[in-house]
Amino acid sequence: MAYVAIADRPDELHHPHSFITKYVWSQDHKVIAIQYSIIAILVGLIALGLSFVMRLQLAFPDTFSFIDPSIYYQSVTMHGMIMVIYLLTALFLGGFGNYLIPLQLGARDMVFPYMNMLSVWVYLLSVIVLLASFFVPGGPTGAGWTLYPPQAILPGTPGTDWGILMMLLSLAIFIVAFTMGGLNYVTTVLQARTRGMTLMRMPLSVWGIFTATILGLLAFPALFVSAVMMSFDKLLGTSFFIPAVLSMGDVLETEGGSPVLFQHLFWFFGHPEVYIVALPAFGIVSDLLSVHARKNIFGYRMMVWAIVAIGGLSFIVWAHHMYVSGMNPYFGFFFATTTLIIAVPTAIKVYNWVLTLWKGDIHLTVPMLFAIGFIFTFINGGLTGLFLGNVVVDLPLSDTYFVVAHFHLVMGVSPVLVVCGAIYHWYPNITGRMLNDGMGKVHFWMTFIGTYCIYFPMYYLGILGLPRRYYSNGVTDFIPDSVSAVNIAITVSALIVGLAQLLFVLNLITSLRFGKKAEQNPWRATTLEWRTPEYPPGHGNWGPELPGVYRWAYDYSVPGAEKDFICQDEPPTEGQGA
Amino acid sequence: MGILKILANKPWEASGEIDNLEGGGVVEAPPARVGLWAFLAVATSLFGLFSSAYHMRADYADWQQLSVPALLWLNTAILILASVAFQWAWMASRNGRLKAVRDGLSLGGLLTLAFLILQLVAWNQMISAGFFAQSNPANAFFYLLTGLHGLHLIGGLWVWQRTTSRFWAGLDQEDAEQVGAFRLRVELCAIYWHFLLLVWLVLFGMMLST
Amino acid sequence: MAIAIAVILLVIGSVLFHFLSPWYFTPLASNWDTIDLTVDITFWVTGVVFVLVNLFMAYAIIRYRHRKGLKADYEPENKKLEWWLTAITTVGVVAMLAPGLVVWAEFVTVPEDAGEFEAVAQQWQWSFRFPGDDGVMGQSAVRLMTIENPFGLDPEDENGLDDVLVFGNEVHLPVGKPMKALLRSKDVLHNFAVPQFRVKMDLVPGLVTYLWFEPTKAGRFDLLCEEYCGLAHHTMRGDVVIEEQADFDIWLAAQPTFADTLAIPVADATAGQALYAPCAACHGMQGEGNLALNAPKLSGQEGWYLRRQLNNYKNGRRGTDPADMFGAQMAAMAGTLPNAAAVNNVIAYIQTLPDLPAAATISGDVDRGESLYLTCAACHGRDAMGIWSVSAPRQAGMSDWYLATQLRNFRSGLRGTHPQDGYGEQMASMSMMLLDDAAINDVLAYINTLPVDDKPRQVAILEQ
């Protein structure tokens, strides 16, 4: 195929004139990225607060008058939903995706800037609807983040009048917002790369975000389908998911519906969702490691293949969330096998991260600390996935704190560590200033050690048999008193971690004004986002001409080169390949 | 160049090359067309998942096959005609026969409107025959799927209206760029309508057979 | 450097924690030692990977930390190394997966000589059924479920008549015999889990799921619901008592069959009137209650609730604590009702008494009470008129001072601590959310604002 001219018409970009069009109704991907990130982080802080409601109750039962079972289960539900969807998905794809894709690929903007702008505002609307559910009669839904019917819409669960409908509505709106953004990210990656930026020259960050977006585009419809069908059940009294039941003394008119059908739909979305969060983290952390170890990412091709393989496999493992759901138990054989197969490409990624460090020139900067913290945390959380993915090993551990520890480490803490590392890494690119290093180190150590102290003991509570989703453990013969001591220790760790995040937010705000001025490309990275004519990148990103790309993103410490990095847009010098 | 071959590239070996194999796009197509295809993939996933939910739910004992209103056959024919009209407009736009484009577009849009109105009539027939959403899941799926399909058509009509208004507002036939953009819009409309026709045929066949 | 040391310390600490901490599996009480074995295999495989990869990473960080003049290697990939690592990983995965699938095959295949029982879950209680002499369980359906027939068994089905019904949260099973549990839910998702047996399975309304195990140790084990099933999920407890076959047979023989429950004679309100005379001394002629004598209002209360409480008093499940003076009084009085028929008759009479709302005696912050009551409403109903299927009695229009006393009793352990009083245990657990008397008063003040509706309800348990 011959080279196709890229439609590069800077004059066609939407040029903002007023404050409103520049910072509010902006069509600039960088502003949209920041808008996405700020909303996501704010709503994430709310979800962090909700986790303290749970932790305080578990550590000090019957102490706080504001925590009753309704509030507890509502906190569980909203914490989970916000963290997974409204924080992590929005932040990785809406935030990092928006910021990095055009800049790292040498594009002026997303291909559909207007739709991109709509995306962030529709996302805000979904967040507003979600938060509004705190103020409706009965409060937000307390059905657990998986929203399993029948209990999600039958009396006996908090928020079954209004809360659940607001939640379903908010999810539907979110999916619309995500689809608008997602179409942009995919099309931009496919069609708007600059000259020379072949797919295999893309930084792994973009690979991760790109694959995750495809997963999201194909998987979110499953959530949409289940949300619509559940709304029908709730509003019109249909029987998609509700069989004949005796609810609160009344035999309902429903008949024949299948709660397991909902679970299949939910997890057909829910499992890819794990990778929607994980793949961008995988990609970004690869780049952080490579830059800060001054070494090319080890096994780039294998890394790309692994991302693609994990993305593909993630669609055929969903029922491992349902081993004890009452589905046909013979499915267990298939799903245990596919699930353990997915461990292989995942393990390869881990090996390659570690091998990138090997024989590197490791600068222990704050982003690097977070990246290493990620590897450790992810190894731990990932390995325990082998327990839960193996159907029979899952039997004693399912529905216990083992699961809580596993998924928090693997898809909560690990991605958050990457998010933090990435923000320390790209903050200078966004603001032109460095984040405070000392505060960053304190933030890292409190977060890294603190989270491990929260979740590692939880594995053992789970092995002991402590069930999750319990407001209080009550009197049970097999739960020793020492468990309450563990619970207190966990809560103290959680409070410390929470404090560290406030410190991080403080750092983000104060460095805006007082941070050290950043030179362009302070980390000496090869990728294009550091090579813009204006710094920080201005509107349209590039000058009159788009950059051309001559090499892959990982030319660090190339033998014979004078510097230890060669940027992607640096033309070859004498004696180098041509 | 196949995707497998692309993925087998060793990017570090090709340093220095710039005007290389892939250029700016994976396929030679304007972003809007690629965007539409991506959206069609999303919509396929959506309707596909609804269909699998439909089939899984149909396995339960209480399922009663839908008594499909005869009107739906007429509606199907109308939607086919709408698709044909859009195809006609698209082909005409490639040959620069602008009058034919106008006729095709107008006809396609009006037929689609007729389809939507008659779908509502079909709903009404179902309701007056006592087939409420809550009486059987097959009925509930009928309202759900036709409604969702209708919403997609309404979204299409919004784009259609913008396309035709562009036309009525006067198209400078000498301006190649304008004509090109217009032609692309007509093409995308046609693709979208064909897709929704296909979806409808699959849904209709599913409701007839299960 | 510090990060490398931290990683090393965390690895050492994790391994030490694994071996030294007191928190590990409960002692196994079933045949599923193979499950424990698969867990052990997984621990070994993943543990080795955890230690090796992390220590290697720490070593790499120490060895290749930035110093002046250090230059990184340039190595885009190493095919051979990568394939080796892939191969080794695959071997490790197979080592975990293969035994897992073998054991899973055992789990899905129930032995032919397994006995059967049914565990029925509902919000937030357990009940159980055994197939009876014919070894076959009768049909059941949700639409047949009533107060009299909570299992929803089909009276027309011959197979069901001899089914043995276990009302209440405790089931007995024989030791050393494989048992297949058929799992049925009446309302929402639940989960049947006994940590010592290792296996668990969800109960799904509309489906019958199953699991099997062979108890190997006699004893009493907690049965937990481990699938979130609504507000009182954490209070949904049962007991599985494993005992010798002979003891089990005696226990089973003492449980009623479905036919027995169908044969309860119609209660006689006229006979009940005579029995009520001593009750009237304290509770009043109209059952209206008397604060001075600490006797609560009875009229309008649900029959099934009165019967359960009278039986609790009679059987020493309530009113046994010496500190519960009024409870002890009532226990003595309940003892004078000679038999089940007398209990039924007196309740039948109470249900004929006019239901006039009791006067409010408690005031408090109604708004706060309303938000607290959201939790209570899950069982007692938004109108506080009680819901039979969750065994929650009516509160609206009843003696508020009595409710206050009982809430305090639940909190302080005077009520709801007897192991056979499962519902009391639930209420005791839930009452903990009311931290002080002010909270109790607020809730009751709110209940006092609720209108007493007089729509016909399923009150009667005995009028058939």
Side-chain angles (χ1 to χ4, degrees):
Chain A
M1 193 194 302
Y3 167 64
V4 182
I6 296 157
D8 175 35
R9 294 202 211 86
D11 51 299
E12 272 200 357
L13 280 180
H14 176 81
H15 287 286
H17 300 291
S18 68
F19 177 83
I20 297 272
T21 45
K22 203 164 171 187
Y23 297 109
V24 184
W25 305 114
S26 171
Q27 300 185 19
D28 184 322
H29 71 101
K30 298 182 291 299
V31 178
I32 291 172
I34 290 162
Q35 289 169 335
Y36 250 115
S37 305
I38 290 175
I39 301 170
I41 289 173
L42 286 180
V43 74
L45 287 174
I46 294 174
L48 184 70
L50 292 174
S51 69
F52 294 131
V53 174
M54 292 178 250
R55 280 320 316 173
L56 287 175
Q57 165 64 21
L58 292 172
F60 311 105
D62 314 325
T63 311
F64 300 98
S65 59
F66 64 94
I67 311 176
D68 60 31
S70 303
I71 304 277
Y72 178 81
Y73 289 121
Q74 287 165 331
S75 304
V76 171
T77 306
M78 298 305 271
H79 167 82
M81 197 58 105
I82 292 177
M83 286 298 195
V84 172
I85 308 256
Y86 299 88
L87 170 69
L88 287 173
T89 307
L91 188 57
F92 271 121
L93 301 181
F96 286 100
N98 255 317
Y99 196 82
L100 294 179
I101 291 173
L103 275 171
Q104 290 200 325
L105 298 185
R108 293 207 183 274
D109 207 317
M110 289 289 181
V111 287
F112 313 119
Y114 184 76
M115 200 157 78
N116 208 21
M117 177 190 78
L118 280 184
S119 168
V120 73
W121 293 105
V122 176
Y123 164 58
L124 179 64
L125 178 67
S126 76
V127 169
I128 289 172
V129 172
L130 181 82
L131 296 181
S133 77
F134 280 95
F135 303 98
V136 296
T141 176
W145 92 274
T146 53
L147 306 179
Y148 280 174
Q151 62 261 36
I153 58 174
L154 292 186
T157 302
T160 45
D161 293 326
W162 286 90
I164 183 70
L165 284 172
M166 302 282 279
M167 171 60 87
L168 296 174
L169 179 65
S170 169
L171 286 174
I173 298 173
F174 179 89
I175 293 166
V176 172
F178 171 78
T179 306
M180 291 196 282
L183 292 176
N184 250 312
Y185 316 150
V186 168
T187 314
T188 306
V189 171
L190 289 178
Q191 297 304 100
R193 283 166 287 130
T194 188
R195 294 185 308 142
M197 181 60 85
T198 63
L199 286 176
M200 293 303 275
R201 277 179 179 172
M202 296 197 304
L204 285 169
S205 297
V206 176
W207 264 110
I209 291 166
F210 173 60
T211 315
T213 307
I214 293 178
L215 296 192
L217 287 174
L218 298 178
F220 268 111
L223 182 64
F224 190 82
V225 168
S226 43
V228 169
M229 287 167 71
M230 183 139 71
S231 312
F232 265 55
D233 279 356
K234 173 74 193 160
L235 289 172
L236 301 178
T238 54
S239 305
F240 289 126
F241 303 133
I242 316 293
V245 294
L246 172 79
S247 175
M248 295 299 150
D250 299 317
V251 175
L252 302 188
E253 308 246 317
T254 52
E255 205 183 320
S258 165
V260 178
L261 171 59
F262 175 88
Q263 297 181 28
H264 279 298
L265 284 170
F266 183 87
W267 289 113
F268 186 80
F269 146 76
H271 197 78
E273 168 63 30
V274 173
Y275 290 101
I276 291 168
V277 171
L279 291 181
F282 289 174
I284 290 169
V285 84
S286 307
D287 286 352
L288 296 184
L289 286 166
S290 180
V291 175
H292 297 271
R294 315 307 302 154
K295 184 162 170 272
N296 64 288
I297 190 76
F298 182 82
Y300 174 84
R301 293 196 301 165
M302 202 68 129
M303 293 301 250
V304 172
W305 299 341
I307 286 178
V308 174
I310 292 170
L313 284 170
S314 73
F315 280 102
I316 51 165
V317 297
W318 78 88
H320 68 214
H321 297 267
M322 300 167 60
Y323 287 147
V324 298
S325 71
M327 67 169 180
N328 185 337
Y330 287 90
F331 289 177
F333 294 105
F334 174 78
F335 285 102
T337 308
T338 52
T339 303
L340 264 67
I341 289 174
I342 215 172
V344 177
T346 315
I348 289 169
K349 295 199 73 75
V350 173
Y351 301 145
N352 285 3
W353 291 324
V354 177
L355 288 169
T356 301
L357 295 175
W358 184 250
K359 296 191 178 172
D361 171 18
I362 301 170
H363 290 62
L364 290 170
T365 56
V366 176
M368 188 56 150
L369 290 178
F370 275 101
I372 293 169
F374 161 84
I375 299 179
F376 178 83
T377 310
F378 183 76
I379 289 176
N380 191 290
L383 286 174
T384 49
L386 292 164
F387 289 74
L388 300 171
N390 199 351
V391 55
V392 84
V393 184
D394 180 61
L395 274 180
L397 301 175
S398 183
D399 297 317
T400 69
Y401 270 90
F402 193 92
V403 182
V404 178
H406 160 70
F407 72 71
H408 272 95
L409 281 179
V410 83
M411 78 164 295
V413 177
S414 299
V416 166
L417 288 172
V418 174
V419 165
C420 296
I423 291 178
Y424 284 97
H425 182 83
W426 277 297
Y427 190 84
N429 192 277
I430 299 165
T431 65
R433 288 178 189 270
M434 306 294 284
L435 280 169
N436 183 295
D437 212 47
M439 276 160 99
K441 286 203 164 124
V442 175
H443 172 217
F444 167 74
W445 285 107
M446 283 166 78
T447 309
F448 175 54
I449 305 287
T451 48
Y452 199 65
C453 291
I454 297 174
Y455 296 110
F456 189 72
M458 274 193 200
Y459 285 126
Y460 290 85
L461 298 185
I463 293 170
L464 182 67
L466 203 64
R468 59 191 280 221
R469 312 186 195 96
Y470 267 27
Y471 167 73
S472 72
N473 292 327
V475 185
T476 311
D477 291 335
F478 70 91
I479 301 177
D481 291 337
S482 56
V483 164
S484 47
V486 185
N487 265 329
I488 291 173
I490 290 174
T491 298
V492 171
S493 309
L495 288 167
I496 292 171
V497 172
L499 212 60
Q501 306 322 304
L502 293 184
L503 184 72
F504 179 47
V505 173
L506 187 74
N507 196 353
L508 287 177
I509 295 169
T510 53
S511 297
L512 217 47
R513 181 93 197 261
F514 306 108
K516 195 172 67 161
K517 279 243 187 246
E519 52 191 298
Q520 181 156 11
N521 203 356
W523 312 113
R524 295 173 296 132
T526 59
T527 38
L528 293 181
E529 77 272 24
W530 303 100
R531 306 283 289 169
T532 51
E534 267 181 86
Y535 182 77
H539 185 67
N541 295 344
W542 315 102
E545 257 194 64
L546 290 175
V549 169
Y550 297 90
R551 60 191 73 247
W552 69 330
Y554 299 98
D555 265 347
Y556 292 101
S557 306
V558 179
E562 54 187 277
K563 292 177 300 174
D564 68 351
F565 69 111
I566 310 174
C567 293
Q568 284 190 277
D569 61 341
E570 279 184 53
T573 48
E574 297 277 318
Q576 273 192 342
Chain B
M1 156 162 262
I3 184 75
L4 289 180
K5 209 159 164 208
I6 291 179
L7 289 177
N9 270 341
K10 293 184 179 174
W12 54 90
E13 287 180 348
S15 287
E17 287 178 22
I18 177 162
D19 287 352
N20 52 59
L21 304 156
E22 290 161 55
V26 169
V27 288
E28 270 186 76
R33 193 191 295 155
V34 176
L36 178 70
W37 280 107
F39 177 72
L40 296 188
V42 175
T44 306
S45 171
L46 181 71
F47 284 106
L49 285 159
F50 265 119
S51 311
S52 37
Y54 183 92
H55 285 294
M56 284 164 83
R57 186 63 184 80
D59 281 345
Y60 286 79
D62 64 318
W63 183 271
Q64 291 160 15
Q65 191 174 346
L66 194 70
S67 52
V68 177
L71 183 60
L72 289 192
W73 288 100
L74 175 66
N75 291 2
T76 307
I78 291 176
L79 198 61
I80 292 174
L81 288 179
S83 217
V84 169
F86 273 104
Q87 179 67 22
W88 183 39
W90 179 15
M91 277 156 48
S93 83
R94 277 194 291 199
N95 308 337
R97 292 182 289 125
L98 283 183
K99 194 170 162 305
V101 176
R102 186 193 64 196
D103 295 346
L105 274 185
S106 313
L107 187 63
L110 290 177
L111 284 169
T112 309
L113 269 177
F115 172 84
L116 285 172
I117 292 164
L118 289 175
Q119 289 286 81
L120 283 178
V121 174
W123 275 25
N124 201 23
Q125 286 180 357
M126 289 279 288
I127 290 168
S128 28
F131 295 113
F132 302 114
Q134 64 269 38
S135 38
N136 195 270
N139 302 336
F141 267 116
F142 169 78
Y143 294 110
L144 188 58
L145 295 173
T146 50
L148 199 74
H149 179 259
L151 282 178
H152 278 79
L153 276 177
I154 290 172
L157 280 180
W158 183 69
V159 179
W160 166 81
Q161 160 267 325
R162 284 180 46 134
T163 308
T164 45
S165 67
R166 176 76 50 94
F167 185 84
W168 294 114
L171 191 67
D172 182 359
Q173 292 194 37
E174 305 306 310
D175 186 341
E177 203 173 298
Q178 244 193 61
V179 171
F182 177 70
R183 188 182 294 163
L184 180 62
R185 278 173 170 274
V186 176
E187 175 197 331
L188 297 187
C189 278
I191 294 175
Y192 188 65
W193 253 263
H194 296 339
F195 172 76
L196 284 184
L197 173 65
L198 188 69
V199 167
W200 171 251
L201 292 178
V202 171
L203 293 181
F204 189 45
M206 189 171 80
M207 288 189 282
L208 281 176
S209 63
T210 317
Chain C
M1 200 55 176
I3 182 74
I5 293 165
V7 166
I8 295 169
L9 288 178
L10 284 177
V11 169
I12 296 173
S14 304
V15 173
L16 288 178
F17 189 96
H18 178 79
F19 287 109
L20 298 181
S21 89
W23 306 292
Y24 204 63
F25 277 124
T26 47
L28 181 72
S30 78
N31 59 315
W32 290 114
D33 54 341
T34 43
I35 291 185
D36 284 9
L37 181 67
T38 58
V39 175
D40 285 341
I41 294 173
T42 314
F43 255 122
W44 278 107
V45 174
T46 57
V48 167
V49 175
F50 173 72
V51 171
L52 286 184
V53 177
N54 277 315
L55 290 185
F56 178 78
M57 177 171 77
Y59 175 64
I61 295 168
I62 294 171
R63 180 144 171 218
Y64 297 105
R65 68 187 186 280
H66 173 68
R67 279 149 298 162
K68 236 187 158 49
L70 183 69
K71 190 163 176 181
D73 247 27
Y74 186 77
E75 189 183 24
E77 65 181 14
N78 181 337
K79 268 271 175 66
K80 210 168 136 193
L81 177 61
E82 286 173 83
W83 287 121
W84 265 110
L85 287 171
T86 310
I88 293 170
T89 309
T90 310
V91 171
V93 163
V94 171
M96 291 181 285
L97 180 63
L101 293 185
V102 170
V103 178
W104 183 248
E106 268 176 60
F107 176 75
V108 297
T109 326
V110 183
E112 284 184 6
D113 60 337
E116 273 190 358
F117 73 103
E118 181 188 60
V120 183
Q122 65 180 90
Q123 283 176 323
W124 290 283
Q125 296 150 20
W126 296 98
S127 46
F128 305 90
R129 175 160 69 122
F130 287 83
D133 295 333
D134 61 2
V136 183
M137 287 200 229
Q139 299 285 324
S140 64
V142 166
R143 70 191 145 73
L144 297 173
M145 289 173 188
T146 59
I147 298 178
E148 297 82 16
N149 184 6
F151 283 81
L153 298 188
D154 182 355
E156 309 290 313
D157 184 356
E158 289 280 320
N159 291 330
L161 290 176
D162 66 340
D163 286 3
V164 179
L165 305 183
V166 183
F167 297 89
N169 288 332
E170 184 177 304
V171 68
H172 291 223
L173 295 174
V175 70
K177 181 176 160 107
M179 293 301 291
K180 177 182 188 184
L182 296 165
L183 306 171
R184 177 159 70 96
S185 167
K186 293 183 192 178
D187 39 34
V188 300
L189 301 175
H190 298 281
N191 182 288
F192 181 100
V194 178
Q196 290 88 342
F197 295 166
R198 301 296 188 260
V199 287
K200 61 168 68 89
M201 189 53 70
D202 278 6
L203 298 86
V204 184
L207 287 182
V208 177
T209 55
Y210 72 91
L211 55 77
W212 77 273
F213 55 88
E214 181 187 321
T216 52
K217 268 189 202 160
R220 173 181 285 272
F221 302 97
D222 291 295
L223 167 62
L224 306 171
C225 173
E226 295 200 359
E227 180 59 74
Y228 179 57
C229 58
L231 205 59
H233 168 53
H234 58 283
T235 68
M236 184 168 166
R237 292 290 162 84
D239 287 289
V240 180
V241 175
I242 304 299
E243 58 197 6
E244 294 301 329
Q245 182 76 44
D247 297 327
F248 168 74
D249 291 338
I250 294 169
W251 172 83
L252 192 65
Q255 310 300 321
T257 64
F258 181 46
D260 292 342
T261 65
L262 291 176
I264 293 174
V266 176
D268 179 356
T270 325
Q273 183 167 17
L275 290 165
Y276 185 73
C279 315
C282 295
H283 290 281
M285 290 303 287
Q286 306 291 323
E288 70 275 18
N290 186 336
L291 172 54
L293 297 172
N294 275 294
K297 177 186 168 218
L298 301 177
S299 59
Q301 188 52 280
E302 317 257 348
W304 51 262
Y305 178 73
L306 295 175
R307 181 165 78 150
R308 192 170 78 218
Q309 293 312 317
L310 280 172
N311 285 335
N312 279 353
Y313 279 124
K314 278 167 71 77
N315 300 333
R317 294 174 191 165
R318 186 177 168 188
T320 50
D321 197 306
D324 181 12
M325 216 169 65
F326 306 120
Q329 264 177 15
M330 186 62 215
M333 293 305 291
T336 64
L337 290 169
N339 51 33
V343 170
N344 289 345
N345 291 343
V346 77
I347 291 170
Y349 176 68
I350 291 171
Q351 291 187 323
T352 66
L353 297 173
D355 170 19
L356 301 170
T361 65
I362 286 176
S363 54
D365 180 345
V366 174
D367 289 336
R368 178 153 175 258
E370 182 174 7
S371 74
L372 287 168
Y373 188 77
L374 273 179
T375 298
C376 316
C379 292
H380 293 277
R382 278 170 217 207
D383 52 5
M385 293 305 278
I387 295 174
W388 68 269
S389 71
V390 288
S391 298
R394 166 181 166 182
Q395 299 159 328
M398 306 305 285
S399 309
D400 56 1
W401 53 266
Y402 168 77
L403 297 174
T405 313
Q406 294 309 310
L407 281 169
R408 282 193 287 271
N409 286 355
F410 277 121
R411 281 189 56 79
S412 63
L414 293 186
R415 187 176 168 190
T417 47
H418 193 278
Q420 250 93 45
D421 182 12
Y423 308 116
E425 231 173 86
Q426 274 181 336
M427 190 60 219
S429 169
M430 295 306 282
S431 70
M432 292 302 171
M433 63 171 264
L434 300 171
L435 291 184
D436 48 27
D437 282 356
I440 290 176
N441 289 344
D442 294 344
V443 168
L444 293 172
Y446 172 69
I447 293 173
N448 282 337
T449 66
L450 293 173
V452 178
D453 78 51
D454 46 4
K455 70 172 168 89
R457 279 167 294 124
Q458 259 193 308
V459 255
I461 176 167
L462 306 159
E463 299 160 359
Q464 286 174 342

